[in-house]
Amino acid sequence: MTERLTDQVFPNGDIYSRSFDEVQLNGKAKYTWSDGTIYEGDWEGGKMSGKGLIVWSSGAKYEGDISGGYLHGFGTFTGPDGSVYRGTWRMNVQHGIGTKQYSNSDTYEGSWKEGVHEGSGKYCWNGGNTYIGNWKGGKMCGRGVMKWVDGDRFDGFWLNGFRHGSGIYSFADGGYYFGKWSRGLKDGKGTLYPAGCKHPSLKKWHNSLRRDDRNFFLSHSSSLNSEAGRATRPSVKRSLSEKIFIDGVLRSTGRILRRASFSDENWGLFDHGRNIRCHESSSMSFHSSHEEQHEAKDNSTLFYEREYIQGVLIKERIRKLAEVSPKTKQRKKFNVKEATGNSCMDIFKGHQSYYIMLNLQLGIRYTVGKITPVPMREVRSSDFGDRARIRMYFPRKGSQFTPPHYSNDFYWKDYCPMVFRNLREMFKLDAAEYMMSMCGDDGLRELSSPGKSGSIFYLSHDDRFVIKTLKKPELKVLLKMLPYYYHHVGEHENTLITKFFGLHRITLNGGRKLRFVVMGNMFCTELQIHRRYDLKGSSQGRFTDKDKIDETTTLKDRDLSYAFHMDKLLRESLFRQISLDCMFLESQRIIDYSLLLGLHFRAPEHLKALVENPSALPHGDDGVSQGEPLIPSNGLLLVTHEPSSVSNAPGSHVRGSTLRAYSLGDKEADLLLPGTGRLRVQLGVNMPAQANRKLWQDDDSGVELFEVYDVVLYLGIIDILQEYNMKKKLEHTLKSLHFDPTTISAVEPKLYATRFINFLKTVFPDVS
């Protein structure tokens, strides 16, 4: 093989200088492309490999490691605009740890993935604002701290570049706001402690944020995945040939410049971050003025309990620290010692909740693992029988079939495993995902009971499933109903009845038994649920003590002050299914069930603009807006369904078809939420409506004044395990329905269903 030391000019105008052999480029050399791009450095086997310097005709340059024709390893890239990145690369993109100084003097230092910020990192704006925390897809996502140059600070959770979730906002003057945010706006309940006011230990709040941190990405995984496809990526510009011809032989070398013309692709999202603060000061709200702040400074015991809907303050309560005693705080916590004698909770005395959850996870993991390999088949009548059980003993030391564990010895029973396996298949619940939700390392969260049943509730770490303790009569009702329930759910994909996915029993030392049912969580949604109602169509005792209401309280019939106006076809679909479900419950002699209703309020866009930037509205000398009157824009919009624009993945609580809307000409509908996203409208899920509340009425003129909100509804029929012949429970039901308990025969399940449906028609009136 001969070697020459001379310039070689290729037919396309490229020039190669210094040593090369007749077959392929090797050694140190300079290569000049016809467009003016120059490479000086190492070659191996006809490819740029080793150390080298590339200067593009645009003025951009790279100096560092190259492998197989790609920027790969450690290197420094200077863009044509003067931006500089110094760090690691993988296959032509920034990947690993690196620092970038942008052309406007902003800087980022931290982790990169596929050319965008991902992982932990620090971003400093040229104005002095700083964010330190987690990133995802080039956006602030996860736990992070934003510090503004004027001294304000936010420590909490972020999603796609917005504050989203729990957080602590501290003002430069020493005040604090503890609350929740949704896509950058305060959303839900929070507490404002003005400057000079005593406040809870910040250490306690920071510890609470740390506990939430581990579940953040799991609970928002669907949102993150939907955004991943739209994440900004480096632009691609091929500034030189992908192929180089050498003596007529085709050689692949030019891949290195496929992404060579790097622009400041990330600047668009950081420009948003620059203005993300949006003036959090408490004086911005409608009900809090500078005078209130001054008063609070004079009296260090005053603080404010507030509630927001998408940044709009709708409720405020001025409190004194003396009003919130330690006993009051303790009552808000779940305490097993307060359980009544007939409560399921009394069996937990002497047993830590952790052990019960561990037992549940061990049993579910064993059951799902045992039933999953069995070939799929149709459910048989024997699958519902007394022999359709899986029984297993879990000694602490482990056995031939069970692993060792840290709980106490216990016996496990799984009821009708093939039936519930097929129910999970109906809802397209993957066995591995189901086990991860229920049995992952993050465990289960214990919730206090929203009712008087004394049941204990657990929530899976990703919020998809609810686990509830059952009394023995309730378990018997479910087993008796199960064949008919299975048929009903299979026949009606849009059913609103509770979705059951597992039925289990744990027997503890001493013979005490705990019975559990696994259900789909109908409130598993990315949207904030601002209100929850349990509706039976009764007034007797159906109200909530206002002093006991917090953001998690489930309200009752007499607490509901709204009527919900829906699209004509959506309402027809809703009541058609409610009637079918009530007919089924009537056939099973079931009474005392409820409609669980969740409301997500949407603040009108013009109100959000007013809160975020009051100066944007023109005012005359008299303080009245000049020019065109403000027309309230909708907080939501029904649009024609586009399958490619929304996720069609079924949730743990729904598997029905997309609904049709009258307002769209009988076409399938999506729900468009400005500033949030696009959702698929299904029965009981993402259903839009207007919530109307009457504020005033003049009987003489007939004039009525209403307060109107756009809302998104989530609803389902729950508590379906009370049989007509369960007289102890029935007696309470009869009283609530104003019947004489001595005339039990006067009440039939049909009468309960009729009353229930008629009540719901007043909640969702026909306005066509």
Side-chain angles (χ1 to χ4, degrees):
M1 181 182 296
T2 61
E3 189 176 272
R4 287 177 283 174
L5 301 175
T6 183
D7 289 349
Q8 173 74 23
V9 180
F10 295 99
N12 62 358
D14 294 352
I15 301 174
Y16 178 75
S17 300
R18 281 197 66 192
S19 63
F20 71 98
D21 56 45
E22 293 181 347
V23 180
Q24 55 189 355
L25 310 178
N26 282 299
K28 290 187 177 294
K30 177 180 178 180
Y31 194 103
T32 304
W33 280 265
S34 58
D35 65 356
T37 300
I38 300 172
Y39 170 74
E40 289 187 77
D42 298 330
W43 294 77
E44 183 178 342
K47 299 178 181 179
M48 295 176 284
S49 292
K51 301 285 186 180
L53 170 66
I54 305 174
V55 180
W56 285 270
S57 56
S58 64
K61 69 177 182 179
Y62 171 83
E63 185 173 7
D65 296 331
I66 299 173
S67 178
Y70 293 96
L71 309 184
H72 193 87
F74 187 87
T76 301
F77 178 87
T78 303
D81 58 358
S83 61
V84 178
Y85 171 80
R86 179 178 173 81
T88 56
W89 297 76
R90 188 176 74 176
M91 305 291 284
N92 287 352
V93 295
Q94 300 123 315
H95 190 95
I97 303 299
T99 301
K100 182 169 183 177
Q101 180 169 344
Y102 293 85
S103 58
N104 62 351
S105 298
D106 287 3
T107 60
Y108 173 79
E109 180 179 1
S111 179
W112 298 72
K113 183 178 180 180
E114 296 296 327
V116 296
H117 312 156
E118 185 149 332
S120 299
K122 176 181 180 181
Y123 194 98
C124 298
W125 284 264
N126 58 19
N129 300 335
T130 303
Y131 172 82
I132 303 174
N134 292 319
W135 299 78
K136 182 79 171 179
K139 299 180 181 179
M140 295 174 285
C141 201
R143 177 78 182 279
V145 178
M146 174 74 85
K147 298 179 181 179
W148 286 272
V149 69
D150 63 2
D152 284 8
R153 167 189 170 116
F154 175 79
D155 184 354
F157 292 98
W158 302 75
L159 183 67
N160 297 323
F162 296 97
R163 281 164 290 184
H164 191 91
S166 303
I168 307 170
Y169 195 102
S170 53
F171 301 95
D173 62 4
Y176 290 90
Y177 179 78
F178 302 86
K180 292 184 177 180
W181 281 257
S182 177
R183 296 188 178 268
L185 298 173
K186 292 175 186 173
D187 204 10
K189 294 189 176 182
T191 307
L192 171 67
Y193 296 90
C197 178
K198 296 179 181 178
H199 53 74
S201 168
L202 292 181
K203 182 178 179 181
K204 171 186 173 183
W205 281 88
H206 285 294
N207 288 339
S208 176
L209 289 177
R210 289 192 191 98
R211 287 194 297 270
D212 293 342
D213 194 15
R214 65 179 183 177
N215 293 325
F216 177 81
F217 284 106
L218 289 170
S219 62
H220 294 89
S221 59
S222 59
S223 175
L224 294 176
N225 291 336
S226 65
E227 290 290 332
R230 298 191 292 272
T232 307
R233 287 289 184 263
S235 59
V236 177
K237 182 177 180 182
R238 300 173 188 264
S239 56
L240 59 97
S241 305
E242 278 207 27
K243 308 292 183 180
I244 295 179
F245 285 89
I246 302 178
D247 292 340
V249 181
L250 188 63
R251 305 295 180 194
S252 299
T253 65
R255 297 186 303 246
I256 192 166
L257 295 180
R258 287 186 298 177
R259 304 182 184 222
S261 182
F262 288 96
S263 62
D264 274 343
E265 67 278 357
N266 296 314
W267 171 240
L269 25 109
F270 295 121
D271 186 42
H272 164 75
R274 174 193 299 276
N275 300 310
I276 199 167
R277 183 181 171 213
C278 296
H279 304 289
E280 277 285 352
S281 174
S282 58
S283 61
M284 289 287 297
S285 70
F286 296 143
H287 299 271
S288 185
S289 63
H290 289 290
E291 288 77 14
E292 288 176 336
Q293 291 278 29
H294 179 72
E295 177 187 358
K297 290 181 180 180
D298 293 337
N299 188 343
S300 63
T301 63
L302 288 182
F303 65 97
Y304 302 85
E305 292 181 347
R306 293 179 166 182
E307 184 170 2
Y308 291 84
I309 294 179
Q310 270 102 62
V312 178
L313 181 62
I314 62 169
K315 187 182 295 184
E316 181 179 84
R317 182 181 182 184
I318 302 176
R319 299 287 301 274
K320 290 186 178 181
L321 291 175
E323 297 176 13
V324 186
S325 65
K327 292 183 179 180
T328 304
K329 294 181 180 179
Q330 289 176 3
R331 281 199 298 268
K332 292 184 179 180
K333 297 181 180 179
F334 176 73
N335 189 346
V336 298
K337 294 182 180 179
E338 296 177 0
T340 57
N342 61 354
S343 165
C344 290
M345 286 187 278
D346 64 342
I347 63 175
F348 281 86
K349 294 177 181 177
H351 297 273
Q352 295 183 26
S353 180
Y354 168 78
Y355 295 130
I356 301 301
M357 289 188 285
L358 182 59
N359 294 351
L360 265 172
Q361 290 181 306
L362 287 167
I364 291 173
R365 186 182 293 115
Y366 175 83
T367 298
V368 175
K370 186 176 181 65
I371 198 69
T372 299
V374 178
M376 276 297 296
R377 60 172 175 78
E378 291 294 324
V379 170
R380 306 163 184 161
S381 58
S382 58
D383 294 322
F384 298 96
D386 292 338
R387 293 187 178 182
R389 309 285 191 268
I390 292 178
R391 297 175 175 84
M392 183 54 59
Y393 175 54
F394 284 81
R396 183 169 184 171
K397 295 181 179 180
S399 67
Q400 181 181 354
F401 305 102
T402 63
H405 55 84
Y406 296 102
S407 184
N408 297 318
D409 300 350
F410 69 96
Y411 290 89
W412 172 262
K413 180 186 283 190
D414 185 83
Y415 296 88
C416 306
M418 185 58 72
V419 176
F420 287 107
R421 179 238 179 110
N422 280 27
L423 283 171
R424 295 193 293 269
E425 291 283 346
M426 279 186 194
F427 289 87
K428 295 181 171 58
L429 296 178
D430 179 75
E433 291 182 2
Y434 182 71
M435 279 201 289
M436 283 299 296
S437 293
M438 303 292 292
C439 310
D441 294 337
D442 293 312
L444 306 170
R445 284 177 283 156
E446 186 176 349
L447 306 174
S448 57
S449 171
K452 298 180 180 179
S453 65
S455 296
I456 296 174
F457 291 81
Y458 294 102
L459 194 63
S460 64
H461 68 82
D462 56 4
D463 293 344
R464 296 182 68 187
F465 304 100
V466 176
I467 305 172
K468 176 187 176 183
T469 57
L470 296 180
K471 297 176 183 177
K472 187 174 181 179
E474 293 174 320
L475 180 137
K476 289 184 175 180
V477 169
L478 180 52
L479 288 174
K480 178 182 175 182
M481 181 201 306
L482 193 57
Y484 310 98
Y485 171 86
Y486 182 84
H487 176 76
H488 181 79
V489 171
E491 191 79 10
H492 303 285
E493 65 175 7
N494 289 313
T495 182
L496 297 171
I497 292 177
T498 303
K499 313 305 186 298
F500 297 118
F501 300 121
L503 187 59
H504 317 291
R505 189 185 77 182
I506 294 172
T507 303
L508 305 172
N509 287 335
R512 294 193 171 185
K513 297 179 175 63
L514 291 171
R515 303 164 186 88
F516 297 91
V517 63
V518 180
M519 305 175 289
N521 177 17
M522 56 176 284
F523 292 154
C524 180
T525 170
E526 294 177 13
L527 301 183
Q528 173 87 10
I529 302 297
H530 296 106
R531 292 286 187 276
R532 296 169 173 82
Y533 292 92
D534 182 285
L535 305 175
K536 291 184 181 293
S538 171
S539 60
Q540 187 73 20
R542 301 292 295 168
F543 65 92
T544 309
D545 187 345
K546 292 184 178 180
D547 292 334
K548 297 181 179 179
I549 295 177
D550 60 26
E551 60 182 1
T552 63
T553 302
T554 302
L555 305 173
K556 300 177 183 177
D557 301 61
R558 287 173 57 184
D559 303 317
L560 182 65
S561 55
Y562 299 101
F564 302 99
H565 296 170
M566 305 178 67
D567 178 276
K568 178 182 177 180
L569 284 182
L570 297 185
R571 183 183 182 276
E572 289 178 359
S573 299
L574 176 65
F575 276 96
R576 186 183 307 116
Q577 189 59 52
I578 288 176
S579 297
L580 289 169
D581 289 339
C582 286
M583 287 175 58
F584 165 73
L585 296 174
E586 178 189 330
S587 71
Q588 299 302 305
R589 309 286 286 169
I590 300 296
I591 64 168
D592 203 31
Y593 42 86
S594 308
L595 183 81
L596 184 61
L597 175 65
L599 307 180
H600 170 76
F601 287 85
R602 299 298 295 181
E605 294 298 306
H606 76 291
L607 287 182
K608 285 192 280 186
L610 177 64
V611 172
E612 295 174 16
N613 190 9
S615 62
L617 299 179
H619 291 278
D621 295 335
D622 56 358
V624 180
S625 297
Q626 304 294 311
E628 293 295 323
L630 280 173
I631 301 175
S633 58
N634 291 331
L636 53 82
L637 193 65
L638 270 178
V639 295
T640 304
H641 176 57
E642 294 183 6
S644 60
S645 300
V646 294
S647 172
N648 289 307
S652 60
H653 54 297
V654 64
R655 81 178 198 283
S657 57
T658 303
L659 296 184
R660 298 179 180 273
Y662 179 81
S663 58
L664 298 177
D666 197 21
K667 295 180 180 178
E668 292 184 339
D670 287 344
L671 182 60
L672 186 63
L673 303 173
T676 300
R678 187 177 183 131
L679 305 172
R680 182 177 173 220
V681 179
Q682 295 172 271
L683 205 65
V685 181
N686 303 328
M687 299 190 72
Q690 279 193 334
N692 291 258
R693 178 165 61 186
K694 185 184 292 186
L695 299 179
W696 175 79
Q697 178 176 350
D698 188 333
D699 295 332
D700 296 331
S701 64
V703 176
E704 296 178 328
L705 180 63
F706 285 87
E707 185 178 64
V708 180
Y709 291 97
D710 286 328
V711 294
V712 185
L713 306 180
Y714 297 84
L715 46 90
I717 299 175
I718 64 169
D719 293 338
I720 65 168
L721 301 181
Q722 301 296 332
E723 263 191 339
Y724 172 68
N725 59 3
M726 296 169 67
K727 294 185 179 181
K728 188 173 183 180
K729 180 67 177 177
L730 178 62
E731 186 172 328
H732 168 74
T733 303
L734 293 173
K735 289 180 180 178
S736 69
L737 297 176
H738 306 292
F739 287 102
D740 183 351
T742 60
T743 59
I744 292 180
S745 60
V747 181
E748 295 289 342
K750 183 178 181 62
L751 183 59
Y752 187 92
T754 301
R755 186 181 182 121
F756 181 70
I757 294 174
N758 289 339
F759 167 72
L760 293 183
K761 288 181 178 179
T762 66
V763 177
F764 305 97
D766 185 359
V767 293
S768 58

